[in-house]
Amino acid sequence: GENVEQHPSTLSVQEGDSAVIKCTYSDSASNYFPWYKQELGKRPQLIIDIRSNVGEKKDQRIAVTLNKTAKHFSLHITETQPEDSAVYFCAARGEDDKIIFGKGTRLHILP
Amino acid sequence: DAGVIQSPRHEVTEMGQEVTLRCKPISGHDYLFWYRQTMMRGLELLIYFNNNVPIDDSGMPEDRFSAKMPNASFSTLKIQPSEPRDSAVYFCASSSSGGPIDEQFFGPGTRLTVL
């Protein structure tokens, strides 16, 4: 089955700097890669996603890149703000429609 | 739509007791997922349903766990007997296969504490 690895587990960046979170997946048939943000005590919520037929997708300060050959994808947050502090999860969905999540990255934005 | 609804929001029980968690998916969604979240193991998929039928329950940890979806608007996750290591936040999520959006919408979660 699919296995998703996520790094780093914790990331601290200065406000205004960029943050990058990286994930790898094992199933070459996976075709959909969402990213979820979970604020403390709240539910995970989708912030951006990418399909396997696209290499990059942007939405304001966040972007996701996908390298199908290497089976890795990354989340980029630019001009970080205090409200970006949260846990971020990457995920991959295979042909069986199961979405497997990475272990999460706790992002701290330092003032 | 009110989104995915879960109840109870918090449950404290003693070891050995039966626990039932409930979920109402978003109307019209044909997929329902149960997840367990802990600090150590992250967000684990326990089981998911498509059109009320269990598709994959390989994530269910033990026979003490069972899940049902008697109709399109209701699902339960039952733990019997409960153990302290079952303490976690349990999320239900739903999604629709019918359109361009693949987003899973999560419920608020049930925080379970087994003493």
Side-chain angles (χ1 to χ4, degrees), chain A residues 19-33:
Chain A
V20 180
I21 302 170
K22 298 181 179 182
C23 291
T24 60
Y25 61 99
S26 60
D27 186 355
S28 56
S30 288
N31 55 22
Y32 174 67
F33 307 90

Side-chain angles (χ1 to χ4, degrees), chain A:
Chain A
E2 177 64 276
N3 182 48
V4 177
E5 299 284 340
Q6 183 171 349
H7 301 280
S9 57
T10 306
L11 178 62
S12 295
V13 300
Q14 213 68 39
E15 183 179 346
D17 288 350
S18 296
V20 180
I21 302 170
K22 298 181 179 182
C23 291
T24 60
Y25 61 99
S26 60
D27 186 355
S28 56
S30 288
N31 55 22
Y32 174 67
F33 307 90
W35 286 86
Y36 283 78
K37 175 184 180 181
Q38 186 178 25
E39 296 177 355
L40 189 61
K42 298 193 174 178
R43 73 193 78 185
Q45 291 190 293
L46 181 74
I47 53 170
I48 194 168
D49 57 11
I50 191 167
R51 297 179 190 280
S52 57
N53 59 349
V54 174
E56 183 176 357
K57 184 176 179 181
K58 265 187 164 179
D59 183 3
Q60 300 182 340
R61 293 187 299 107
I62 59 173
V64 58
T65 58
L66 171 65
N67 183 327
K68 283 177 58 180
T69 303
K71 288 191 280 188
H72 65 70
F73 56 116
S74 302
L75 177 72
H76 304 252
I77 306 174
T78 59
E79 300 172 25
T80 52
Q81 301 170 3
E83 55 264 36
D84 296 330
S85 293
V87 178
Y88 292 81
F89 293 94
C90 63
R93 185 186 68 189
E95 290 181 319
D96 58 1
D97 288 329
K98 280 173 66 171
I99 290 188
I100 303 300
F101 284 83
K103 290 280 193 290
T105 296
R106 187 171 298 276
L107 176 63
H108 299 277
I109 306 301
L110 306 172

Side-chain angles (χ1 to χ4, degrees), chain B residues 41-100:
Chain B
R41 301 172 71 91
L43 204 55
E44 300 175 277
L45 176 64
L46 300 178
I47 185 172
Y48 76 99
F49 297 81
N50 180 220
N51 292 320
N52 314 338
V53 176
I55 303 300
D56 188 329
D57 65 355
S58 59
M60 297 285 260
E62 300 168 34
D63 290 346
R64 299 184 296 105
F65 286 68
S66 63
K68 294 182 180 179
M69 192 165 186
N71 57 62
S73 59
F74 184 65
S75 177
T76 59
L77 178 67
K78 187 175 291 189
I79 309 172
Q80 165 64 11
S82 58
E83 296 183 4
R85 60 195 166 117
D86 301 330
S87 297
V89 179
Y90 291 81
F91 286 103
C92 173
S94 70
S95 67
S96 172
S97 62

